[in-house]
Amino acid sequence: MKVLLVNMPFAAVRPAIGPSLLKSHLAAIGYECCVLYLNLRMAQRLGNSDFSYIADRTPTQSLSGDWVFAPGLFGSRPEADREYVAAFNERFGRYVDNAAPLAVLQRARAMAEDFLEECLADDVWKLYDVIGFTSTFTQHVSSLALAQRLKQRYQDKLIVFGGANCEDQMGVAVHRLFPFVDYVCSGEADISFPRLIRALDSGENPSDIPGVIYRRDAQTRWTSLVPQRVRDLDTLPMPDYDDYFEQLEMFGLSGSGILMESSRGCWWGEKHHCTFCGLNGTAMAFRCKSASRVLAELDAQVARYRPAHVEMVDNILDMHYFRDLLPELHRRHLNLGLFYETKANLTKVQVQELFAAGITSIQPGIESFSTSVLKIMRKGTTALQNVQLLKWCKEVGMKVYWNLLYGFPGEDPNEYKIMSALIDKITHLDPPQGMGGIRLDRFSPNFVSAADLGLCNVRPDRSYRYIYDLPESDLYGLAYYFEHDYRDQRDPHQYIHGTEQAMRRWYAESGGRGLVYVDHGDHLAIWDFRTIAEERLTILTGSDRALYLFCDAQRSAPNIMKFAAEELGLSAEAAMEAVTRLAQANLIVEVDARFLSLAVSAPALPDTERSHKLSNALAF
Ligand code: SF4
C-alpha cells in the first residue's frame, strides 16, 4: 500500500512538519510515502508575493485562502461573495488597505478552478492507494475540493483527512458532511495514522483505533476522538523534508528554512490556560525532547538540508533548556537564525542567553500593556514585564513578534487610555505585528466557558457562512473561529480608538533612532529621538545615574528606596524625587507603582574618541 500526503494551498511556502513526520513514521514500518506540495504549484502560478500575502498576512478569520477555492467545492454563489467582500471591508478595513487584499484574492480565485483541474489531470494519483490531506489553517476548502474530484475520478482510492482543522468535533463534521472523505484522523496522528494504514493494508477493521473516524452503514462513527499520544518525544523519528526541497527546486521557488519541534503542549496552559488560546486543541499536556535529542536532530537536519534558518514550532520554550540545550547551542555557534515562542516574563540574563544560543527571533506572549487585562486573560505577566522584555530584546538585537489584543470580557475601558499614553513613550521599541479584537477559538476557555467568562451569542465566524454553503448548525461543527457578543453589551471599538491612533503613531515612528543611553562610567548620556522627547541629550551623574541603571529591570518604590539607602546613602524622599523627575521627563515609565528605565543601552564604548563619534552620529 502506497501513501501520498497532500499539502494544498494556502499552506505557507515552507516544509510541512506534520506530513513529513508521518512519512518517516510510515517508512519505519515499511510503507512508501510521498508528500506532494501542491501549495508550491499554486505559489508558482500566482507569484510568491501574492501567494504569501494570502497564506501569511490576511486576517485569519477572513479565511481568505478558503474563499479563493469556495466555488470549487460549492459552485458559484454571487450573493455570498458580495457579502464576503462587504464584510471583509467592514471588519478588516481598519487594519489593511482595502483594495489590495481583495484584488489579490480575486486574482487567485480566477485561477483556482484551472489549478484544481490541472492537479486532477496529473498522473501521480494513479501511483498511490491512500491519499491523505493535511488541513491546517486556510487549506481546508482547497483540500476538500480536490479530494471530491479525486474520489469521483478514482473511486478505489482511499481519502484520509487530518491536521488541526480535523481535531475533535471538526473532524466529525468533515467526515459527516463530505462523504468522499473515507477516514479522518483527529488530533495527533503519530500513532493512529500508521495504525490506520496497517489496518487498511491487512484488511483489518480500523474501527477500534482511537482518533480515527470512519463510516459504517453510511454513518460517521468513532471509538474515541482522542488519539493515543506519543509520551516520549525522543522516540519520534525526524521529519523527512526531501520532497519539499525537491519540489521547491522544481518550481523555482525560494524558502530554504526548516521547521523543528522540541516540545508539544504548553506547561503554562496546563496550569493557567490563557483564556483566548485554542492552540493545543485537546492536547495541552506538556511533553518535550531531551536536549541531546534536539541537538542530534538539529545536527542531522542541518547536515541534510543546509537550511538558512530553523523555526521551532513549539508553543512555548521549555525553561529547562536554559540549563542544557541553550548553553550547548551557544558553544556550537550554529548561526541558524533560530526562532522560538516563549513566555514574556524572561529575565535580562535569559534574553542574553537566548540570543547567545543563536535564537535571533522570538514570539513572546505579550498581548497587552495592561496588567489588569493580562490578569483577565490569565497570562501570568505584567505590563512592565512586557515593556522590559521589548527593551532587552532591542538591546541584544533580537526580533520580537507579538500582537496587541483587546476586547477581553470585563476589561476596564480606562486601561486603553493609560495604554495609549504608555505607547507614546515606547515608540523606540518593536511595535506589534498587529492589533486586533479577541477571536473566539475552539478549545479556548473563552469558547468552552463563554457564559462563565462574560461572553454570549457564540456563533461560527461569519466568514464560514460566505464560504461554506451549509446550514449554521453544520458550520458550528466545522468551525475553529467563532464570533461572540458581551453579556454586558459592550462594544470595544468604542473605547480602543485612542489606542489604535497611538499604534499608528508607533508604526510611523518605528525604525527611527529611538531612545538610547551610553554609560561612560562617571556619567550616563541619554539620547532621545522620540516624538515626545523633551531634551535631545540628558546627562545623568551620581545617584541619578545609579538609580537609572537600577531601574533597568522594573522596580517598586520600596525596592528603589532600599537600594538608595544601602548603596547610595540617599534618603527615600531624594530617591523618589529623582525617579519621579526622570519619569516626568519620560525617560523612566511608571506603571502599577513600579518604575522602569526606558532607554536602550548602546554598546559599551571603550574610549572617549569613539564615544564622541557615537555622540556625533546620534546627533544627526
Ligand atoms: S497562549 Fe501560549 S502560554 Fe498561553 S496557553 Fe496558549 S500556548 Fe500556552
Side-chain angles (χ1 to χ4, degrees):
M1 180 159 268
K2 289 167 74 175
V3 179
L4 183 64
L5 298 175
V6 186
N7 193 37
M8 286 295 281
F10 279 86
V13 175
R14 58 185 196 179
I17 191 167
S20 306
L21 196 51
L22 290 180
K23 177 178 176 174
S24 302
H25 277 299
L26 290 182
I29 55 170
Y31 287 100
E32 191 181 322
C33 173
C34 178
V35 184
L36 185 62
Y37 286 87
L38 293 179
N39 60 332
L40 299 184
R41 183 184 285 205
M42 186 72 178
Q44 188 208 34
R45 290 189 68 142
L46 190 56
N48 219 356
S49 164
D50 282 0
F51 183 89
S52 67
Y53 184 82
I54 298 173
D56 297 325
R57 301 206 302 281
T58 47
T60 45
Q61 306 99 300
S62 71
L63 303 176
S64 57
D66 286 324
W67 184 77
V68 166
F69 282 97
L73 187 60
F74 296 107
S76 172
R77 297 172 69 218
E79 185 53 34
D81 288 347
R82 271 191 290 279
E83 288 182 284
Y84 179 86
V85 169
F88 193 101
N89 285 331
E90 181 203 325
R91 301 171 78 194
F92 311 119
R94 63 200 309 135
Y95 306 116
V96 294
D97 166 14
N98 291 353
L102 286 166
V104 173
L105 294 190
Q106 297 285 10
R107 266 201 300 283
R109 212 182 217 215
M111 59 178 66
E113 186 59 32
D114 282 354
F115 172 79
L116 289 171
E117 289 303 319
E118 183 187 302
C119 294
L120 183 66
D122 201 310
D123 280 341
V124 68
W125 315 108
K126 294 179 183 158
L127 305 174
Y128 295 90
D129 309 291
V130 176
I131 300 167
F133 285 85
T134 174
S135 180
T136 300
F137 297 126
T138 181
Q139 62 182 159
H140 214 35
V141 174
S142 60
S143 300
L144 289 164
L146 182 59
Q148 184 178 41
R149 284 163 174 74
L150 285 169
K151 196 66 174 180
Q152 276 163 4
R153 180 164 299 185
Y154 303 103
Q155 278 156 24
D156 57 323
K157 308 289 178 197
L158 291 169
I159 304 284
V160 184
F161 266 62
N165 288 330
C166 300
E167 183 158 11
D168 203 64
Q169 288 303 321
M170 296 183 290
V172 174
V174 167
H175 193 267
R176 187 174 59 77
L177 296 167
F178 303 103
F180 48 86
V181 177
D182 297 301
Y183 297 95
V184 172
C185 288
S186 162
E188 282 179 24
D190 302 86
I191 295 173
S192 62
F193 187 65
R195 274 191 68 186
L196 174 65
I197 296 301
R198 217 183 331 225
L200 294 173
D201 191 28
S202 57
E204 287 166 26
N205 185 351
S207 63
D208 63 344
I209 304 173
V212 169
I213 301 166
Y214 61 96
R215 198 169 278 107
R216 187 185 298 153
D217 304 329
Q219 294 292 311
T220 293
R221 295 167 189 261
W222 61 92
T223 301
S224 163
L225 292 178
V226 179
Q228 195 182 345
R229 297 198 175 103
V230 178
R231 284 170 192 264
D232 178 1
L233 297 195
D234 280 2
T235 63
L236 286 173
M238 295 182 202
D240 180 338
Y241 294 134
D242 289 2
D243 296 323
Y244 172 75
F245 283 101
E246 272 168 29
Q247 293 168 51
L248 191 73
E249 195 180 342
M250 194 171 86
F251 288 114
L253 296 167
S254 59
S256 54
I258 61 165
L259 304 182
M260 264 187 65
E261 168 186 64
S262 49
S263 71
R264 292 184 184 176
C266 174
W267 52 262
W268 174 257
E270 273 184 294
K271 291 176 286 187
H272 309 278
H273 194 168
C274 302
T275 58
F276 61 90
C277 174
L279 273 183
N280 292 287
T282 56
M284 185 63 84
F286 189 69
R287 294 152 289 163
C288 66
K289 290 178 181 170
S290 65
S292 57
R293 165 56 202 265
V294 176
L295 290 164
E297 185 165 339
L298 205 50
D299 283 345
Q301 298 292 63
V302 167
R304 190 164 169 185
Y305 300 115
R306 305 264 163 230
H309 56 92
V310 177
E311 186 178 327
M312 294 292 183
V313 298
D314 306 29
N315 289 149
I316 190 165
L317 175 76
D318 180 4
M319 300 306 275
H320 296 105
Y321 286 159
F322 280 100
R323 286 206 301 264
D324 45 24
L325 178 63
L326 299 181
E328 186 53 28
L329 286 173
H330 181 184
R331 203 184 60 73
R332 293 184 183 200
H333 287 297
L334 293 174
N335 199 19
L336 286 170
L338 287 162
F339 165 88
Y340 255 112
E341 292 191 25
T342 67
K343 238 174 97 60
N345 55 353
L346 298 171
T347 65
K348 183 168 187 164
V349 169
Q350 286 171 333
V351 170
Q352 291 167 338
E353 286 173 354
L354 284 171
F355 193 69
I359 293 159
T360 54
S361 57
I362 59 170
Q363 185 173 328
I366 287 182
E367 333 293 7
S368 178
F369 290 124
S370 159
T371 300
S372 68
V373 174
L374 287 162
K375 203 172 256 176
I376 291 172
M377 66 176 98
R378 301 181 198 149
K379 200 70 211 174
T381 50
T382 66
L384 271 196
Q385 280 178 319
N386 287 340
V387 177
Q388 76 182 7
L389 178 67
L390 287 174
K391 181 180 74 165
W392 292 334
C393 289
K394 184 98 183 171
E395 280 183 358
V396 297
M398 184 148 61
K399 175 76 187 153
V400 186
Y401 295 97
W402 64 282
N403 290 300
L404 194 79
L405 303 179
Y406 62 81
F408 289 88
E411 67 186 13
D412 179 356
N414 199 41
E415 289 295 305
Y416 289 88
K417 282 200 190 109
I418 299 168
M419 213 183 292
S420 306
L422 174 63
I423 286 171
D424 281 333
K425 295 175 188 172
I426 59 171
T427 49
H428 58 302
L429 305 178
D430 279 356
Q433 269 52 60
M435 170 178 176
I438 54 163
R439 270 185 341 224
L440 228 59
D441 290 359
R442 189 184 285 275
F443 307 117
S444 70
N446 276 341
F447 174 78
V448 174
S449 311
D452 295 343
L453 295 176
L455 300 169
C456 60
N457 194 16
V458 173
R459 69 262 182 204
D461 190 284
R462 70 194 83 169
S463 295
Y464 290 97
R465 201 162 65 235
Y466 308 138
I467 291 167
Y468 294 83
D469 192 8
L470 294 168
E472 189 83 356
S473 54
D474 288 337
L475 295 181
Y476 204 95
L478 208 61
Y480 181 76
Y481 304 123
F482 291 81
E483 292 186 61
H484 63 275
D485 294 324
Y486 296 88
R487 208 171 45 218
D488 62 8
Q489 298 182 332
R490 70 175 59 213
D491 175 5
H493 293 122
Q494 288 179 347
Y495 56 77
I496 52 108
H497 182 67
T499 313
E500 285 179 334
Q501 299 290 88
M503 290 294 301
R504 290 204 176 92
R505 292 194 290 277
W506 194 351
Y507 286 124
E509 207 172 319
S510 66
R513 284 170 294 173
L515 172 65
V516 296
Y517 76 82
V518 182
D519 185 14
H520 298 278
D522 61 336
H523 70 280
L524 191 83
I526 303 178
W527 289 90
D528 192 352
F529 296 95
R530 295 169 300 169
T531 302
I532 60 155
E534 298 195 350
E535 299 287 343
R536 187 66 79 216
L537 174 63
T538 304
I539 302 289
L540 302 183
T541 57
S543 54
D544 279 5
R545 170 185 166 275
L547 287 167
Y548 199 78
L549 293 175
F550 182 64
C551 290
D552 179 45
Q554 47 143 353
R555 308 287 186 183
S556 66
N559 277 164
I560 291 169
M561 290 187 279
K562 185 166 181 286
F563 170 77
E566 291 176 2
E567 304 294 329
L568 308 174
L570 203 63
S571 71
E573 294 73 27
M576 292 317 295
E577 181 279 321
V579 170
T580 307
R581 181 166 29 82
L582 290 166
Q584 282 163 354
N586 293 322
L587 299 177
I588 277 181
V589 71
E590 180 189 354
V591 180
D592 307 327
R594 298 180 79 83
F595 299 84
L596 175 74
S597 302
L598 286 177
V600 173
S601 163
L605 297 168
D607 57 57
T608 358
E609 195 194 334
R610 279 190 59 208
S611 73
H612 285 313
K613 274 189 193 153
L614 178 69
S615 295
N616 288 338
L618 289 168
F620 288 98

